[in-house]
Amino acid sequence: MNSSEEIAVSARSAGRSALRMGPAELVQAAAMARRFYLEGKSKIQIAEEFGVSRFKVARVLETALERDLVRIEIRVPAELDAERSDALRAHFGLRHAVVVESPSEGADESPDPENLGEVAADLLGELVAEGDVLGLAWGRSTIHMAAALDRLPPCTVVQLTGVYDAGTAERGSVEAVRRAAQVSGGEAHPIYAPMLLPDPATAAALRHQTGIARAFDYFDKVTVACVSIGSWEPGISTVHDMLSDEERAHYASLGVAAEMSAHLFDTQGRRVGRDLGERCITVEADRLRRIPEVVAIAGGPRKAEAIAAVLRSGLVTSLVTDTAAADLLLTAAPGPRPALERADPDD
């Protein structure tokens, strides 16, 4: 995600505002603007070159902007919406928010546009530093992200959740961890176990198995995590789809609006149905809250309410989403605390 700035400096004799300056002033203003905006010189350096004070240089540069001698154009790749991104970051108090253009067709149907994964892969390339521990939770969007990775500093990669079905091709989270580790040249710590188990005892026994226990040992060392968000409806939340009709009805009665890494949240970001976590192989919410950078990847209008709920939980610091979801999120209440405070709304 490389943004570029094109700065055009012109000393135009046309234009009513420019005519108010004499030719010497125009030439000097254009020269100073070129030094400052294109050549990267400081105001002190420019002042020394032209034999004036740095305060005069500042006034000349300001006048050049006011009188349209300097035109500044900021360009980002067409698929990124810089204005929505900045508005969303400020609205929810996020560290980073990246908004991608929604697909022209099928935006209402797609639970997570695949291009979110590509942008998230570039974002991780920026956020992850050498020696970090990268945690990946199960999710279609994180799987797309891992497949799109083409650069990553040397780091350890650990799986944060079990898989949707360890016996099928849906074992994407294991492959995602291995893919990320391959790109980075670091160690991989996958979890070969289902995310949801029949009962707490089975889940507890699996957590003590050597390979799974080794992955869990890394949870407190994770510095950057990548997670997905699901709304509580068929096809949008894998946990919802793994439960029985009776269990779904039970959790729906508790007001669940969103799911992230097998943790359930109501619309205010409070965790509900905590008993479900006892049956799951997943990183605990308290551990997620201690991770310095937690990036959520989720988009589409069907997920907007769920994304808002998770952002209100304080567990997420950064978000990659699309314009369809962003427009709805910008009209939603951000909650009593910005996400960067990482406070628990249950406290």
Side-chain angles (χ1 to χ4, degrees), residues 6-347:
E6 179 182 287
I7 303 173
V9 180
S10 62
R12 297 179 296 171
S13 59
R16 285 176 293 181
S17 60
L19 287 174
R20 296 173 185 171
M21 300 178 71
E25 291 177 302
L26 284 169
V27 170
Q28 184 183 68
M32 288 184 177
R34 183 174 298 278
R35 304 289 194 280
F36 185 74
Y37 291 107
L38 297 183
E39 298 176 10
K41 292 188 175 181
S42 70
K43 293 175 184 177
I44 293 177
Q45 289 174 314
I46 296 170
E48 291 175 352
E49 178 183 348
F50 286 87
V52 298
S53 71
R54 61 186 176 89
F55 301 105
K56 180 174 180 178
V57 173
R59 286 196 301 271
V60 170
L61 292 175
E62 183 178 351
T63 300
L65 284 171
E66 291 174 350
R67 300 192 179 188
D68 200 28
L69 298 178
V70 174
R71 292 171 294 162
I72 299 176
E73 182 179 0
I74 300 175
R75 293 180 179 178
V76 295
E79 69 271 16
L80 300 182
D81 192 310
E83 186 174 349
R84 282 186 176 93
S85 297
D86 188 55
L88 191 59
R89 178 199 57 76
H91 189 66
F92 280 96
L94 297 168
R95 184 171 290 118
H96 304 284
V98 182
V99 178
V100 182
E101 287 291 338
S102 298
S104 57
E105 297 181 2
D108 291 341
E109 302 300 326
S110 175
D112 274 316
E114 289 193 18
N115 59 340
L116 295 185
E118 298 172 5
V119 174
D122 282 343
L123 179 61
L124 283 188
E126 293 182 40
L127 298 181
V128 176
E130 184 173 350
D132 275 348
V133 177
L134 172 62
L136 300 181
W138 194 96
R140 298 179 186 89
S141 56
T142 52
I143 292 170
H144 292 153
M145 180 278 300
L149 281 171
D150 59 9
R151 63 185 177 96
L152 207 59
C155 64
T156 299
V157 186
V158 61
Q159 193 169 322
L160 297 178
T161 64
V163 298
Y164 180 50
D165 184 348
T168 72
E170 290 286 346
R171 195 173 56 242
S173 50
V174 171
E175 295 163 5
V177 168
R178 293 197 177 281
R179 165 66 181 167
Q182 180 184 27
V183 172
S184 73
E187 295 182 3
H189 295 277
I191 294 177
Y192 295 99
M195 181 188 294
L196 181 66
L197 281 304
D199 53 70
T202 304
L206 276 177
R207 291 189 199 105
H208 286 92
Q209 287 190 357
T210 303
I212 298 174
R214 186 180 300 115
F216 268 65
D217 287 341
Y218 273 93
F219 285 179
D220 286 329
K221 303 173 185 177
V222 173
T223 50
V224 180
C226 191
V227 300
S228 297
I229 296 173
S231 54
W232 198 244
E233 56 179 305
I236 310 295
S237 165
T238 52
V239 172
H240 176 282
D241 293 345
M242 286 189 282
L243 297 173
S244 66
D245 291 340
E246 183 179 353
E247 289 171 324
R248 292 170 191 156
H250 165 67
Y251 291 118
S253 71
L254 300 179
V256 59
E259 174 263 318
M260 180 183 71
S261 303
H263 300 295
L264 309 182
F265 306 87
D266 66 11
T267 57
Q268 298 306 309
R270 296 183 294 255
R271 289 179 58 211
V272 296
R274 299 190 182 210
D275 60 305
L276 181 64
E278 298 175 3
R279 297 168 49 195
C280 292
I281 302 297
T282 185
V283 60
E284 300 94 326
D286 289 342
R287 278 176 157 170
L288 269 176
R289 203 178 299 280
R290 294 194 296 269
I291 296 174
E293 183 75 78
V294 179
V295 180
I297 313 170
R302 292 173 64 184
K303 281 194 176 183
E305 183 179 356
I307 296 169
V310 172
L311 292 182
R312 294 183 189 115
S313 75
L315 291 173
V316 168
T317 61
S318 298
L319 174 68
V320 178
T321 190
D322 66 344
T323 53
D327 286 341
L328 295 172
L329 287 168
L330 288 169
T331 65
R337 302 181 180 94
L340 285 183
E341 291 186 16
R342 314 300 295 282
D344 189 340
D346 289 342
D347 290 345

